Amino acid sequence: MLEISEISVFYGDIQVVFGLSLRVGEGEIVTLIGSNGAGKSTIVNTISGILRPSKGEILYRGKSIARVPAHRLVEQGLVQVPEGRMLFTDLTVEENLRLGSFSKSSRKHFPARLRYVFQLFPILAERRRQTVNTMSGGEQQMLAIGRGLMTDPDCLILDEPSEGLAPLIIQQVWEIIEKLKEEGHTILLVEQNVALALKLV
Ligand code: ATP
């Protein structure tokens, strides 16, 4: 599904990623582990088409995507749930989910995908008209994952989904990721916490 060969990534003159290779097979869950500042989000943003590798190759379903713009990759089913959630906090739950369905190919499936996400996260259905900035961290993380699922992605990249969450909430989020894996989603899980990541992969 995803094959990265020896990519190097720079910010200006500063090299952050040095010849990384990584492979995620269809239906697999693979984890990328690293401490603060190791370059995990840089790698995620490079796969997602937000940054460009200066060297190396990224294949998605066997095709090179190193020059494909981010919005096109979302349309092709490659979706990231970013670190820090990056929600539109002045908007409601439902408005954020609608923005997850913004791509041309997924707009028409909005009602069905909304039902799917509400089934997965009943709390989001209860809070659908609530403004995001009044929600807990756990609810916001669920919304971020829900937004990522609105396009019905084939490959989901989760960037530190446990960040800032209490153990009980992490357990709930982990159960959802497990369910997504059972449904056959391909997942790249980016984490700092080795023990947590290895519970899933
Ligand atoms: P964390 O877990 O703390 O989010 P990370 O593994 O995701 O860390 P990155 O965010 O990829 O790490 O950052 C890797 C390195 O690149 C860090 O030293 C960071 O300061 C640097 N960096 C990140 N973004 C930029 C940028 N836009 N310009 C310059 N340097 C950057």
Side-chain angles (χ1 to χ4, degrees), residues 43-59:
I43 293 162
V44 167
N45 286 333
T46 308
I47 299 169
S48 300
I50 296 163
L51 297 170
R52 301 285 169 216
S54 60
K55 264 194 270 170
E57 182 75 279
I58 306 177
L59 303 180

Side-chain angles (χ1 to χ4, degrees), residues 50-90:
I50 296 163
L51 297 170
R52 301 285 169 216
S54 60
K55 264 194 270 170
E57 182 75 279
I58 306 177
L59 303 180
Y60 173 60
R61 295 189 173 286
K63 288 193 184 136
S64 174
I65 56 165
R67 305 273 158 229
V68 180
H71 67 282
R72 292 259 176 265
L73 293 177
V74 172
E75 283 176 1
Q76 291 172 27
L78 181 62
V79 167
Q80 80 152 280
V81 176
E83 185 187 9
R85 298 151 203 154
M86 304 292 173
L87 295 163
F88 299 92
T89 52
D90 292 335

Side-chain angles (χ1 to χ4, degrees), residues 123-135:
I123 188 78
L124 297 183
E126 283 172 32
R127 306 291 169 92
R128 65 193 289 173
R129 308 216 189 284
Q130 189 170 329
T131 310
V132 170
N133 55 21
T134 63
M135 292 167 66

Side-chain angles (χ1 to χ4, degrees), residues 11 16 35-43 83 160 192:
Y11 292 110
V16 170
S35 59
N36 262 334
K40 304 180 297 299
S41 297
T42 301
I43 293 162
E83 185 187 9
E160 295 198 40
Q192 285 199 30

